[in-house]
Amino acid sequence: MVKKLEQLKLRTMDFEEMQKSWQMQQAPQLSDIANNKPLQTLLKDRVKALQVKTLWTNILMTVVLCLTAAAFIFILRRTFTPNTRWFDVGMVVMFGAILLSALATWLKSVPWKNLKADLDSRAYISHSLKSFRFQQTSIKLITPIQMVVSTIGLNLIYLDIFWNESWKFRLLMNLGLVAVMVLVGGLSLYYSKLRHKELYEPIIKELEELEQKLKAD
């Protein structure tokens, strides 16, 4: 009998904790309604904020790309006298992959039309969804391909820089480069997925629900 009472008490405590958790999750929305701020307006503000964040991320990526290109062209290219054409081929391969990736991100993130921020507009919702979904496509497909091609380009540069070294040393340097790229790339993709799950997925879900509602109406 005592054991059953203890089990009933534990279940009651679990239910109370779940109820408190649910109330805490709903509290911000209830507060916003009390302040006469419609939930649709809140969603629009979140979409606009995420669009601005995406825009600044693209700008930062472009700046880093330009600085990296300048460092390779004006510092590395002049410091090391190329032994073969593999150096320039590697640079073209590497920056070509990065440039195409950056260009694709810009095309998806920046509207090609002057769309008004209106959640009653199917065009605005559709464009926002395409832009935000592309971040996930980039993480799963474009970024890994770009990293693989960039690694190939760097290996071609290494092949030229260590051209006069023994084949064992060259092999060791290339394998070391691949290991570093795999480690850095893996960590980058991991944190990109966490960031996408935290920032993009909730808004994508809400926009999809709103889009279905507009189609039904």
Side-chain angles (χ1 to χ4, degrees):
M1 184 69 179
V2 175
K3 187 175 182 180
K4 289 184 178 180
L5 288 173
E6 289 178 352
Q7 291 177 348
L8 180 62
K9 185 177 179 181
L10 287 173
R11 290 178 181 175
T12 304
M13 290 175 63
D14 290 339
F15 175 78
E16 290 176 352
E17 290 177 359
M18 291 173 62
Q19 189 176 33
K20 288 180 181 179
S21 176
W22 182 84
Q23 289 174 347
M24 289 177 65
Q25 291 177 356
Q26 297 297 321
Q29 294 186 356
L30 295 175
S31 175
D32 291 325
I33 294 174
N35 293 329
N36 297 321
K37 193 170 185 179
L39 295 180
Q40 193 172 12
T41 302
L42 290 172
L43 178 58
K44 184 172 70 175
D45 292 341
R46 290 167 60 200
V47 170
K48 290 173 65 176
L50 192 55
Q51 287 175 335
V52 171
K53 184 185 290 291
T54 302
L55 179 64
W56 278 109
T57 300
N58 290 346
I59 292 174
L60 180 61
M61 179 180 62
T62 304
V63 171
V64 170
L65 174 62
C66 292
L67 291 176
T68 305
F72 268 86
I73 295 172
F74 297 106
I75 298 177
L76 188 64
R77 184 67 169 76
R78 293 184 179 182
T79 302
F80 297 96
T81 303
N83 297 294
T84 66
R85 291 184 178 179
W86 289 120
F87 188 96
D88 293 325
V89 172
M91 290 185 63
V92 171
V93 170
M94 184 180 64
F95 285 110
I98 298 174
L99 184 61
L100 289 176
S101 176
L103 181 60
T105 304
W106 272 108
L107 289 176
K108 278 293 182 180
S109 300
V110 179
W112 52 88
K113 298 179 182 178
N114 185 19
L115 295 175
K116 184 180 178 182
D118 182 9
L119 290 181
D120 291 328
S121 168
R122 290 186 183 181
Y124 176 76
I125 295 175
S126 177
H127 177 78
S128 299
L129 281 172
K130 286 179 181 178
S131 175
F132 296 152
R133 285 170 181 158
F134 181 78
Q135 305 299 323
Q136 188 173 19
T137 304
S138 178
I139 294 172
K140 289 183 177 180
L141 182 62
I142 296 177
T143 301
I145 293 176
Q146 177 239 304
M147 292 176 64
V148 170
V149 176
S150 298
T151 303
I152 293 173
L154 283 172
N155 272 285
L156 292 175
I157 293 174
Y158 265 44
L159 177 65
D160 179 87
I161 291 176
F162 301 108
W163 185 260
N164 295 320
E165 303 293 336
S166 65
W167 69 270
K168 291 183 179 180
F169 182 80
R170 284 188 291 170
L171 180 61
L172 181 63
M173 294 302 295
N174 283 100
L175 290 177
L177 174 63
V178 171
V180 171
M181 292 296 290
V182 169
L183 177 61
V184 173
L187 290 174
S188 177
L189 290 174
Y190 174 73
Y191 286 110
S192 294
K193 287 182 179 179
L194 289 181
R195 181 173 176 270
H196 183 272
K197 186 175 182 179
E198 179 182 356
L199 295 178
Y200 290 88
E201 287 186 4
I203 292 182
I204 289 175
K205 185 178 180 181
E206 292 183 50
L207 286 174
E208 286 175 339
E209 292 175 354
L210 187 57
E211 186 180 42
Q212 292 299 322
K213 183 178 178 182
L214 287 176
K215 288 180 179 180
D217 294 339

